[in-house]
Amino acid sequence: MTSRGSGEERGKMKGIRELAEHLDISIGTVSRALNGKPDVNEETRRRVLEAAESLGYVANQSGRALRKGATGVIGFMMQTGSEITGQGDTFFMSVFDGVQTVFARHKLDLVALLCSSEEDPNDYLKRVVARGFADGIILSATRRHDARFELLAKRKIPFITLGRSLTDVGQPWLDLDFEGMAEASIDRLVSRGHKHIAVTRPHDDMNLGYVFEDQCRATLARHGLRLDDRHVFRSTPNEAGGYQIARELTALENRPTAIVLINEAITVGLYRGLEEAGVRPGRDMAIIGRQSPHSQFLSPRLTSFSLSLRDLGIALAESLLATMPAFADIYEERSARLLWPMGLVPGESD
Amino acid sequence: MTSRGSGEERGKMKGIRELAEHLDISIGTVSRALNGKPDVNEETRRRVLEAAESLGYVANQSGRALRKGATGVIGFMMQTGSEITGQGDTFFMSVFDGVQTVFARHKLDLVALLCSSEEDPNDYLKRVVARGFADGIILSATRRHDARFELLAKRKIPFITLGRSLTDVGQPWLDLDFEGMAEASIDRLVSRGHKHIAVTRPHDDMNLGYVFEDQCRATLARHGLRLDDRHVFRSTPNEAGGYQIARELTALENRPTAIVLINEAITVGLYRGLEEAGVRPGRDMAIIGRQSPHSQFLSPRLTSFSLSLRDLGIALAESLLATMPAFADIYEERSARLLWPMGLVPGESD
DNA sequence: CATAGTATCGTAAACGTTTACGGAAGCCAA
DNA sequence: TTGGCTTCCGTAAACGTTTACGATACTATG
């Protein structure tokens, strides 16, 4: 039952050597034929390809990697775990999808490196790097000070970050235009008469929190307003965090009339918390947030900033390739650092 | 600026050979010391470990994999893409987290294999397998007929599936106890007087849809009721799908009084759709679903089935290890096939 | 015909490990 | 002393590729 002969139960290919013997050609020529090298007769190449196909030969990647000193793998490091889960998981999935399509074109394999909640991200990356696992790395969820940058720089591994950091080692990065979002949000709310505006940011050291709060503060100042420190709400980037924010927000004596959410995963919790306090989004409190799979299905619909995550992923991948010697010629014109614009999708919540 | 001497800017380790020379020991002994083999003096082992640490030596995995014929990598195949995004992304992240912790104990590296939305999952897996990428594979999102099972079985790659399928090649699997969920849901609703109960299922060939609908039908029959074919709603597993279901549901002339949701990501969309039709969950329509990061923050709170995703991941990993020769002795007592129970968390929606 | 050039291919040396095998000590008992 | 264990270590052969180099045959050119 286990040896179900499927007709073409071809024996195990032992390697390129056996394939060469079968063809009565030298193994060098076979390798060249397989890899599209020029020094090989087209007729023999055809024979080789054909035999490889029919015999089910596939190159052993360990041997290949050993010889070439490159693995053909790109790692995309994300974060997961109970603290974070609920965050931008769908966000990363979509970006990943875009990245994937680019690398597939170059026969590079993309894998997701998900750091367990039990392990320190730095240690995790150290392990991955030590293994020589990937030829290139994409880092996301960058922190204000991020030791991972230095680790990769020291090891001279090509990498790009989705997000900025004070730790700058000259690597390329892409980031969402949180400045633009902050500015547009504040402008919009102020123009609608709001004078007491709250903002949210992650509870931890994520870099975007600093960028966002600073820009909100600056834009408010431009309007002659100031950001009350009690109106800056830190929370875990998940529903529970949103709920908590709502509790604190509604408990304030001088309650702000509007709030801007930097994280998209807190929205449902925030809505719930507000409702329990009898505060209706869009009527009693203006809310502007980030688009997510459910933001347009909330009630009231969330006024939110959106972007094409897939396109972002494509740009990310291409910028990384531009820094890799083997592909530099193809993508050299890529800009190394880019703020990705977001567009406002009006809803019913502000 | 780029060559920032960090004090211990140790030169590149060339390999185990150089390490051996530095210690004036043979490379064989060094290897044995590093790998914890018995045939080595504890004193020399200490010296080797120390030198490796201080010189920053790490074994080249390509060489190791080539020699050992194993990569030390486990792949967890998930799905992503616009059609699916919004589905159980957080679901998979949490399961992954559990899986990760187990493999880390055995120095196995776990990576997520995310099939792009552009590529056929079968082709994708074929590529991964051909590369000899992983020593073991975890498959999720199993379909009614799933060619991936046969592919892996033919290549004799150890694997386990999170989900069942009609395609059974004797591999171990774990699956959520959808039968139990269906039964408990129907029992609960019937006992509360509902006679016209609707169910949802994925729009595509996911196996769980069949299992779930069949069991709902059977349980209803036990109560002398029948499942109206018009009360079986198929949808994409995302918010838009939930919204669509609500539209269809509320448009029916003989509207059912309750609905059971097999997918957790459709809930927000469903709520929105119902509200637009003036149907209030829990009052005008009973809803039972699956727990998700936001289900307890919806209004009304979702009555839902929950489980420990992390523990599920741990069990999944251990069951896979039990099928791998190198670890079989440690985990042999694992049961090969298991329905993972889910518990009901009462909410306000039914 | 001699020569240079080109197209094609074979040979063999890497790449960095792990491990089977055997050898050299040291120890103990007979 | 001899022989047999045990403990430790060195040697060298794999593992499956890629690729620099050189060899061969053929073509074109003078």
Side-chain angles (χ1 to χ4, degrees):
Chain A
M1 189 58 73
T2 159
S3 70
R4 45 218 302 285
S6 79
E8 38 147 274
E9 186 71 5
R10 51 235 183 174
K12 277 273 164 57
M13 258 288 96
K14 294 288 285 298
I16 199 176
R17 186 152 277 122
E18 186 165 311
L19 179 58
E21 283 176 11
H22 178 263
L23 284 165
D24 209 38
I25 298 182
S26 88
I27 114 181
T29 304
V30 173
S31 173
R32 281 188 294 265
L34 257 21
N35 291 21
K37 291 295 164 67
D39 280 17
V40 46
N41 188 316
E42 282 308 322
E43 164 61 13
T44 41
R45 186 193 304 280
R46 195 192 52 71
R47 279 181 56 217
V48 171
L49 257 29
E50 193 171 283
E53 168 72 18
S54 84
L55 294 184
Y57 166 80
V58 287
N60 177 310
Q61 290 301 320
S62 300
R64 167 187 278 250
L66 175 59
R67 169 65 214 223
K68 301 189 68 163
T71 62
V73 173
I74 305 287
F76 189 158
M77 182 172 175
M78 315 173 183
Q79 256 156 329
T80 172
S82 51
E83 274 273 313
I84 315 262
T85 289
Q87 191 199 19
D89 295 347
T90 64
F91 177 92
F92 286 126
M93 291 284 192
S94 299
V95 174
F96 190 96
D97 195 46
V99 174
Q100 176 90 289
T101 65
V102 173
F103 287 135
R105 279 204 285 272
H106 298 286
K107 298 200 181 294
L108 288 172
D109 281 335
L110 180 68
V111 301
L113 304 172
L114 303 186
C115 174
S116 149
S117 58
E118 281 190 349
E119 192 169 11
D120 175 72
N122 297 330
D123 291 342
Y124 176 77
L125 183 61
K126 206 172 295 182
R127 260 181 39 219
V128 168
V129 166
R131 287 205 48 155
F133 194 90
D135 296 341
I137 297 242
I138 299 174
L139 249 39
S140 64
T142 56
R143 296 195 294 276
R144 188 61 163 173
H145 301 276
D146 207 317
R148 299 177 299 171
F149 289 36
E150 289 157 345
L151 172 63
L152 291 177
K154 183 177 294 180
R155 300 263 187 175
K156 301 216 193 323
I157 296 181
F159 75 109
I160 189 173
T161 63
L162 174 51
R164 285 162 282 174
S165 169
L166 283 188
T167 310
D168 191 322
V169 295
Q171 92 291 352
W173 54 253
L174 255 67
D175 201 359
L176 302 194
D177 183 15
F178 290 109
E179 288 91 333
M181 171 179 167
E183 203 158 352
S185 302
I186 299 295
D187 282 349
R188 177 178 172 101
L189 291 172
V190 169
S191 77
R192 295 182 165 208
H194 294 279
K195 299 200 182 319
H196 303 283
I197 301 175
V199 306
T200 72
R201 57 179 293 186
H203 68 301
D204 55 15
D205 201 35
M206 295 278 288
N207 186 71
L208 55 86
Y210 298 87
V211 171
F212 188 65
E213 179 181 336
D214 288 351
Q215 185 63 51
C216 283
R217 200 177 293 275
T219 305
L220 282 168
R222 180 159 55 72
H223 289 287
L225 300 170
R226 57 180 294 275
L227 178 57
D228 190 329
D229 284 340
R230 287 162 305 184
H231 292 174
V232 177
F233 294 92
R234 289 172 175 261
S235 81
T236 56
N238 55 23
E239 309 300 1
Y243 184 77
Q244 179 62 22
I245 290 178
R247 303 280 300 210
E248 298 172 10
L249 183 62
T250 53
L252 288 179
E253 66 275 29
N254 284 331
R255 183 190 297 171
T257 60
I259 186 168
V260 190
L261 317 178
I262 195 178
N263 180 281
E264 73 271 29
I266 68 174
T267 316
V268 174
L270 185 87
Y271 269 46
R272 171 79 192 201
L274 290 180
E275 179 193 310
E276 288 183 6
V279 177
R280 169 85 180 169
R283 191 190 60 197
D284 310 318
M285 167 97 43
I287 302 180
I288 297 181
R290 291 242 321 272
Q291 198 173 45
S292 76
H294 54 244
S295 56
Q296 296 312 304
F297 293 98
L298 292 175
S299 176
R301 226 178 287 274
L302 184 69
T303 293
S304 58
F305 284 86
S306 78
L307 70 160
S308 167
L309 296 171
R310 197 158 181 287
D311 290 341
L312 172 62
I314 291 174
L316 199 55
E318 291 179 343
S319 295
L320 174 58
L321 285 177
T323 74
M324 298 176 61
F327 302 92
D329 47 337
I330 314 179
Y331 290 107
E332 57 187 338
E333 77 288 354
R334 289 280 134 194
S335 61
R337 300 176 158 200
L338 189 59
L339 279 185
W340 199 266
M342 296 188 275
L344 187 70
V345 180
E348 310 152 344
S349 69
D350 78 321
Chain B
M1 186 60 72
T2 158
S3 69
R4 45 217 307 282
S6 77
E8 40 147 270
E9 186 69 7
R10 52 237 183 172
K12 277 277 165 54
M13 257 291 95
K14 295 286 286 295
I16 198 176
R17 186 153 276 124
E18 185 166 311
L19 180 57
E21 283 175 12
H22 177 264
L23 284 164
D24 209 38
I25 297 184
S26 87
I27 115 181
T29 304
V30 172
S31 173
R32 279 189 295 263
L34 256 22
N35 292 21
K37 290 295 163 69
D39 281 15
V40 45
N41 188 317
E42 282 308 323
E43 163 61 14
T44 44
R45 187 194 302 280
R46 194 192 53 70
R47 281 181 54 217
V48 171
L49 256 29
E50 194 171 282
E53 168 71 17
S54 84
L55 293 184
Y57 166 81
V58 287
N60 177 309
Q61 290 300 320
S62 301
R64 166 188 278 252
L66 175 58
R67 168 64 214 224
K68 301 189 67 163
T71 62
V73 173
I74 305 288
F76 189 158
M77 181 171 175
M78 315 173 182
Q79 255 157 329
T80 174
S82 52
E83 275 273 312
I84 315 263
T85 288
Q87 189 199 19
D89 294 348
T90 65
F91 177 93
F92 286 126
M93 291 284 191
S94 298
V95 174
F96 191 96
D97 195 47
V99 174
Q100 176 90 290
T101 66
V102 173
F103 286 134
R105 280 205 285 274
H106 298 286
K107 298 199 180 297
L108 289 170
D109 281 335
L110 180 69
V111 302
L113 305 172
L114 303 185
C115 175
S116 149
S117 57
E118 280 190 350
E119 192 170 11
D120 176 71
N122 297 330
D123 291 342
Y124 176 76
L125 182 61
K126 206 172 296 183
R127 260 181 39 219
V128 168
V129 166
R131 287 206 47 156
F133 194 89
D135 296 341
I137 298 241
I138 298 174
L139 248 40
S140 64
T142 57
R143 296 194 294 276
R144 187 61 164 174
H145 300 276
D146 206 318
R148 297 177 300 170
F149 290 32
E150 289 156 347
L151 172 62
L152 291 176
K154 183 178 294 181
R155 300 263 187 175
K156 301 218 192 323
I157 296 180
F159 74 108
I160 189 172
T161 63
L162 174 50
R164 286 160 280 173
S165 169
L166 284 189
T167 310
D168 190 324
V169 295
Q171 91 291 353
W173 53 252
L174 256 66
D175 201 0
L176 302 194
D177 182 16
F178 290 109
E179 289 91 333
M181 171 179 167
E183 203 157 353
S185 303
I186 299 294
D187 282 350
R188 177 180 173 99
L189 291 172
V190 169
S191 77
R192 296 184 164 208
H194 293 279
K195 299 200 180 321
H196 302 283
I197 302 174
V199 305
T200 73
R201 56 179 294 187
H203 69 300
D204 55 15
D205 201 35
M206 296 280 287
N207 185 71
L208 55 86
Y210 299 87
V211 171
F212 188 65
E213 180 181 336
D214 288 351
Q215 185 62 52
C216 284
R217 199 177 294 277
T219 306
L220 282 168
R222 180 158 56 70
H223 290 287
L225 299 171
R226 57 180 295 276
L227 178 57
D228 191 328
D229 283 340
R230 286 162 306 184
H231 291 173
V232 177
F233 294 92
R234 291 173 174 261
S235 81
T236 56
N238 54 24
E239 310 300 2
Y243 184 77
Q244 179 62 24
I245 288 177
R247 303 280 300 209
E248 297 173 9
L249 183 62
T250 53
L252 288 179
E253 64 274 25
N254 285 332
R255 183 190 298 169
T257 60
I259 185 167
V260 190
L261 317 177
I262 194 177
N263 181 280
E264 74 271 29
I266 69 174
T267 315
V268 173
L270 185 86
Y271 268 46
R272 171 79 193 200
L274 291 179
E275 178 193 310
E276 288 183 6
V279 176
R280 169 84 180 170
R283 190 189 60 195
D284 310 318
M285 166 97 40
I287 302 180
I288 297 182
R290 291 243 319 274
Q291 199 173 44
S292 76
H294 54 244
S295 54
Q296 297 311 303
F297 293 97
L298 293 175
S299 176
R301 227 179 286 275
L302 184 68
T303 292
S304 58
F305 284 86
S306 78
L307 70 159
S308 167
L309 296 171
R310 200 160 179 286
D311 291 340
L312 172 62
I314 290 175
L316 199 55
E318 292 180 342
S319 295
L320 174 58
L321 285 177
T323 75
M324 298 175 61
F327 302 92
D329 46 338
I330 315 180
Y331 291 106
E332 58 186 338
E333 78 288 357
R334 288 280 133 193
S335 60
R337 298 174 160 202
L338 190 58
L339 280 185
W340 198 266
M342 295 188 276
L344 186 69
V345 179
E348 310 154 344
S349 68
D350 77 321

